[in-house]
Amino acid sequence: MTSLPLPVEPPPPLFQDLRVEPEEARSILRPQKDERYGFGFALSPYRGCGHGCRYCYVREYPNALHKPEDWGGWVAPKLNAPELLWSQRHRLHDARVFMASATDPYQPLERQYRLSRRCLEVLLLCPTTEVIVHTRSPLVLQDLDLLKAFGDRLSVGFSIPTDDDTVRQAVEPHAPAIPSRWAAMERLAAAGIQVTLGVAPLMAVHDAKAFARRAKVSGASNAWVGGLRLLKDDPFYKLLADHRWLKVLDPDYVEGIRQAFREAFPTRRRTRPERPGKIEVLPPSPIHQPGLFDRVG
Ligand code: SF4
């Protein structure tokens, strides 16, 4: 694998106006009954997400205390998440756990609360449990030794929806810069951890072939392309229109990106059926767009 001379930038600092609302959660494992997702439980150590991506479908979920437009401005760390998980460990034998479906487990608050780390420490003690950690943040590297301790029972998924950081700044203003994600992927892969790239939800791409090649040289062993899910009267539509990025909704455009990844990752075999109504992923991942229909847990 070619190693690219990328700096590992620190993740963005905590969003200054973020409201932190610690809570005691009543549940921590959300069963996923649809086998097409490829995991048994979703585990979210936080409610809300400090990355506040503008397209995030989770912002629309019913919540008595927060409006959709406040998404990204509040986070509720589940203070008892590790203990709750420990009390539920009997459910985890031979289980596949996805962390996290409705938040980013390595959002900036994780530096302070370490809830994702402590949940991973519990999962490590459940010997047959498989874990998929999904994030947009190089902060995941702070737990590199712990991730390695899982061996091949753990993989990391990185979301990089575009190859252009100016696009990222418009759609994910509080999430880490794309170069820092590539660098983190390289570090994980070099440490022997399986890394999957999720081009999801697909945003405007500058050079699809170079994007796919970059995923390859950054150590991804798999990649998938997931489509944008717009909500009813979604203000994100206007953002796309203002930037002339409505092409991301065009199936032909999506297919072009998908083809570029198909060429870069030609050897992966299909492991599960396509999901109806969703853009085909390429190559198919053991998981689909995480938590697409999950509610905030
Ligand atoms: S990182 Fe994930 S959960 Fe957080 S705002 Fe972005 S899309 Fe939503």
Side-chain angles (χ1 to χ4, degrees):
M1 185 184 74
T2 309
S3 183
L4 298 177
L6 283 171
V8 179
E9 297 171 26
L14 210 55
F15 181 37
Q16 210 174 8
D17 298 326
L18 186 75
R19 291 195 308 281
V20 182
E21 303 168 357
E23 67 180 18
E24 298 285 316
R26 284 175 306 208
S27 64
I28 191 66
L29 290 171
R30 179 173 295 280
Q32 178 50 255
K33 295 195 173 75
D34 188 337
E35 290 185 358
R36 290 172 298 183
Y37 279 97
F39 60 90
F41 293 101
L43 164 59
S44 296
Y46 299 87
R47 270 194 321 119
C49 184
H51 286 164
C53 304
R54 300 231 157 110
Y55 51 70
C56 183
Y57 56 84
V58 183
R59 69 193 190 279
E60 191 67 9
Y61 289 160
N63 186 322
L65 298 177
H66 308 102
K67 297 177 186 160
E69 53 269 33
D70 292 337
W71 181 251
W74 61 274
V75 176
K78 299 178 183 176
L79 296 180
N80 59 337
E83 291 78 14
L84 206 46
L85 185 60
W86 178 248
S87 74
Q88 297 287 302
R89 63 192 182 282
H90 58 280
R91 302 170 71 190
L92 291 174
H93 290 292
D94 292 322
R96 204 147 190 250
V97 175
F98 182 78
M99 188 170 87
S101 67
T103 188
D104 192 314
Y106 286 97
Q107 61 186 288
L109 268 190
E110 172 63 13
R111 271 204 187 115
Q112 180 181 343
Y113 281 85
R114 300 286 179 136
L115 291 169
S116 297
R117 180 187 174 88
R118 290 173 54 215
C119 286
L120 283 171
E121 288 171 348
V122 172
L123 293 173
L124 185 61
L125 298 175
C126 302
T128 58
T129 302
E130 281 186 61
V131 179
I132 305 155
V133 174
H134 196 86
T135 186
R136 282 166 170 72
S137 177
L139 194 58
V140 67
L141 292 171
Q142 77 180 3
D143 291 337
L144 187 56
D145 286 345
L146 179 58
L147 302 176
K148 282 164 66 176
F150 280 84
D152 60 8
R153 289 194 292 129
L154 179 142
S155 61
V156 174
F158 251 93
S159 275
I160 304 184
T162 171
D163 59 347
D164 184 339
D165 202 60
T166 61
V167 176
R168 193 278 309 162
Q169 286 167 30
V171 300
E172 302 177 346
H174 301 299
I178 288 171
S180 73
R181 301 188 210 179
W182 289 129
M185 283 177 63
E186 284 185 38
R187 291 265 304 273
L188 290 164
I193 292 169
Q194 184 184 319
V195 185
T196 296
L197 170 67
V199 183
L202 176 64
M203 293 291 124
V205 167
H206 179 65
D207 182 335
K209 290 194 172 184
F211 190 12
R213 282 196 303 272
R214 185 56 180 273
K216 192 86 178 172
V217 299
S218 295
S221 57
N222 192 8
W224 56 284
V225 178
L228 175 65
R229 175 187 171 196
L230 285 178
L231 308 172
K232 189 169 181 291
D233 303 323
D234 200 322
F236 192 68
Y237 186 93
K238 182 173 184 319
L239 187 151
L240 290 177
D242 288 349
H243 286 85
R244 302 189 177 182
W245 292 334
L246 287 174
K247 62 186 178 183
V248 303
L249 301 173
D250 178 350
D252 290 339
Y253 179 75
V254 177
E255 172 57 23
I257 308 295
R258 197 170 60 209
Q259 182 59 28
F261 278 87
R262 213 176 263 138
E263 289 166 11
F265 293 84
T267 56
R268 292 288 297 185
R269 65 185 169 80
R270 187 172 295 284
T271 54
R272 64 183 62 250
E274 279 175 41
R275 212 165 130 220
K278 181 176 184 306
I279 293 165
E280 182 191 2
V281 295
L282 191 283
S285 158
I287 55 169
H288 292 272
Q289 183 162 343
L292 195 58
F293 302 113
D294 286 350
R295 304 206 145 220
V296 179

